[in-house]
Amino acid sequence: STSGRVIKCKAAISWEPKKPFSIEEVEVAPPQAHEVRIKILATGICRSDDHVMSGALTVPFPIILGHEAAGIVESIGEGVTCVKPGDKVIPLFVPQCGECSPCVSPKGNLCTTNDIGAVRSLMKDGTTRFTCKGKQIHQFISTSTFTEYTVVHETSVVKIDADAPPEKVCLIGCGFSTGYGAAVNTAKVERGSTCAVFGLGGVGLSVVMGCKAAGASRIIGVDINKDKFAKAKELGATECINPQDFTKPIEDVLRELTGGNGVDYSFEVIGRTDTMTAALASCHMNYGMSVIVGVPPSASKITYPAMLLFTGRTWKGSIFGGWKSKDSVPKLVADYMRKKFNLDALITHTLPFDKINEGFELLRKGKSIRTVLVF
């Protein structure tokens, strides 16, 4: 048994920004009290991980990235009761402690124990469970899934259906839930409404799926990569437009497409401040709502005409689709198992873990929607 012992395994380490991942042997310490060690079975490649690699998101290095995964509990620390060895689980980059104000309030989901705002990239006791070549390796947003084994706090893991395919439901750990929830939870898209989705990657397409599930009558996809249009229409977009096909600002184009009114709901799923402002300007001047879903660069600031909000528009942010993670993830997995939504359509590539750099190149070149790495 490996319980209580250090495990040596493979992990993809980011030693510094703008450099490829390095597959290394790491030592993974046993879980301490209220911690869980997980054998990762499958992990998705998310744009947020690439934002770290590009330097857009500031984190301490060296680090093991990855936050969208499914696996099996290998061992648990003292006091853990929510899972047991052998359970199939999804790590949660948005924890749920159940006690802080966002956890208790029906209005929130960003547990105050998160490692997203004031990033520490360490366990709650200020240390890490990863060591490589004698160096301490940082952990990423409570998860670190680009490794065969990881350790998370018990607030950052939840048991799921034992029959759920890990190479599919890993997307519920981030991309699908983030996009789908932005439409159904954050915006609360209404039947018959008109929506615009800026960015048709894995998360943007999940927004499209959420808008369709909510009964939107018109869903306009916006992307500069026309190769994504067919998939967007397959998943629910009624039409797609490329901003590069127009000489006027895209918000003007969207207002013209909607009889001068603008859309009821717009979603920015790219992470650029210029498209965030354009998405806001594209929604109805009085009762339109624009939701920021894409992760902005750490140092970015937005400048916009104040009149855009004064006339009545609502501008909202959405993290993990507004889902309370421990409560919602098992239900979303169950919904997938009942074929309530189609995760398979989002997965364009499945690669062995050691081809992680190839997977990121597919993402950067716009040739993949979601690449899943399997161990």
Side-chain angles (χ1 to χ4, degrees):
S1 173
T2 51
S3 180
R5 299 167 57 185
V6 171
I7 290 178
K8 292 183 178 180
C9 67
K10 286 194 304 182
I13 295 181
S14 306
W15 291 104
E16 56 184 302
K18 301 180 181 178
K19 293 290 178 68
F21 291 92
S22 178
I23 303 293
E24 307 275 6
E25 182 181 83
V26 298
E27 296 180 348
V28 185
Q32 296 187 13
H34 300 289
E35 294 177 356
V36 178
R37 188 160 60 182
I38 305 168
K39 177 179 174 61
I40 300 296
L41 300 177
T43 182
I45 291 178
C46 180
R47 180 70 72 175
S48 300
D49 300 306
D50 194 47
H51 285 337
V52 175
M53 297 298 288
S54 70
L57 274 182
T58 304
V59 300
F61 286 82
I63 192 168
I64 295 175
L65 299 175
H67 61 283
E68 181 183 87
I72 300 287
V73 173
E74 175 270 337
S75 61
I76 59 175
E78 182 184 353
V80 174
T81 59
C82 61
V83 294
K84 64 183 185 303
D87 284 347
K88 188 170 285 185
V89 294
I90 285 180
L92 307 169
F93 77 91
V94 173
Q96 186 180 347
C97 73
E99 298 174 355
C100 68
S101 61
C103 281
V104 173
S105 171
K107 299 178 182 178
N109 75 316
L110 184 57
C111 177
T112 57
T113 66
N114 76 83
D115 195 32
I116 298 168
V119 176
R120 295 195 314 155
S121 295
L122 297 167
M123 299 298 289
K124 292 185 184 299
D125 65 358
T127 64
T128 175
R129 302 293 168 262
F130 296 123
T131 307
C132 181
K133 299 177 180 178
K135 295 183 178 180
Q136 300 295 297
I137 308 299
H138 288 90
Q139 301 181 224
F140 185 54
I141 53 175
S142 310
T143 48
S144 285
T145 62
F146 290 162
T147 171
E148 291 180 297
Y149 288 86
T150 193
V151 178
V152 303
H153 193 268
E154 64 180 344
T155 56
S156 294
V157 63
V158 69
K159 180 181 177 180
I160 61 169
D161 186 334
D163 293 328
E167 72 280 5
K168 308 293 185 184
V169 299
C170 61
L171 270 62
I172 291 173
C174 178
F176 172 76
S177 305
T178 295
Y180 192 82
V184 301
N185 292 333
T186 306
K188 294 181 172 58
V189 169
E190 298 155 317
R191 184 165 298 280
S193 59
T194 300
C195 304
V197 181
F198 287 67
L200 298 174
V203 180
L205 291 175
S206 299
V207 174
V208 169
M209 293 167 71
C211 292
K212 181 181 179 181
S217 61
R218 195 173 181 189
I219 305 169
I220 306 169
V222 183
D223 203 295
I224 60 173
N225 184 350
K226 291 184 177 180
D227 292 342
K228 296 180 179 179
F229 289 178
K231 178 70 73 172
K233 289 177 180 177
E234 174 191 333
L235 294 175
T238 54
E239 60 211 279
C240 295
I241 56 176
N242 183 344
Q244 296 177 338
D245 290 342
F246 304 92
T247 56
K248 63 184 67 175
I250 192 63
E251 56 266 38
D252 292 348
V253 174
L254 285 164
R255 281 197 295 267
E256 287 180 6
L257 286 173
T258 53
N261 293 317
V263 296
D264 298 310
Y265 300 97
S266 65
F267 301 85
E268 201 281 350
V269 205
I270 303 167
R272 293 173 54 102
T273 55
D274 56 341
T275 46
M276 290 174 186
T277 304
L280 177 67
S282 73
C283 67
H284 193 284
M285 66 176 293
N286 182 227
Y287 54 77
M289 177 186 292
S290 188
V291 181
I292 294 174
V293 188
V295 180
S298 297
S300 62
K301 297 185 183 300
I302 297 178
T303 301
Y304 61 92
M307 191 61 72
L308 287 177
L309 290 177
F310 174 75
T311 57
R313 292 179 178 90
T314 300
W315 212 356
K316 297 193 73 171
S318 179
I319 190 159
F320 194 54
W323 304 104
K324 290 186 186 290
S325 57
K326 274 184 174 276
D327 292 345
S328 302
V329 164
K331 295 176 183 176
L332 288 167
V333 171
D335 284 346
Y336 168 74
M337 298 295 282
R338 290 195 295 265
K339 296 181 167 52
K340 185 175 179 180
F341 47 77
N342 180 14
L343 294 176
D344 306 46
L346 298 172
I347 301 169
T348 52
H349 299 78
T350 302
L351 298 174
F353 175 64
D354 57 7
K355 292 190 179 293
I356 185 171
N357 287 308
E358 182 181 318
F360 272 84
E361 280 305 305
L362 289 168
L363 174 70
R364 293 166 187 147
K365 292 178 180 178
K367 294 182 177 179
S368 66
I369 299 300
R370 245 330 178 254
T371 296
V372 173
L373 305 172
V374 292
F375 292 83

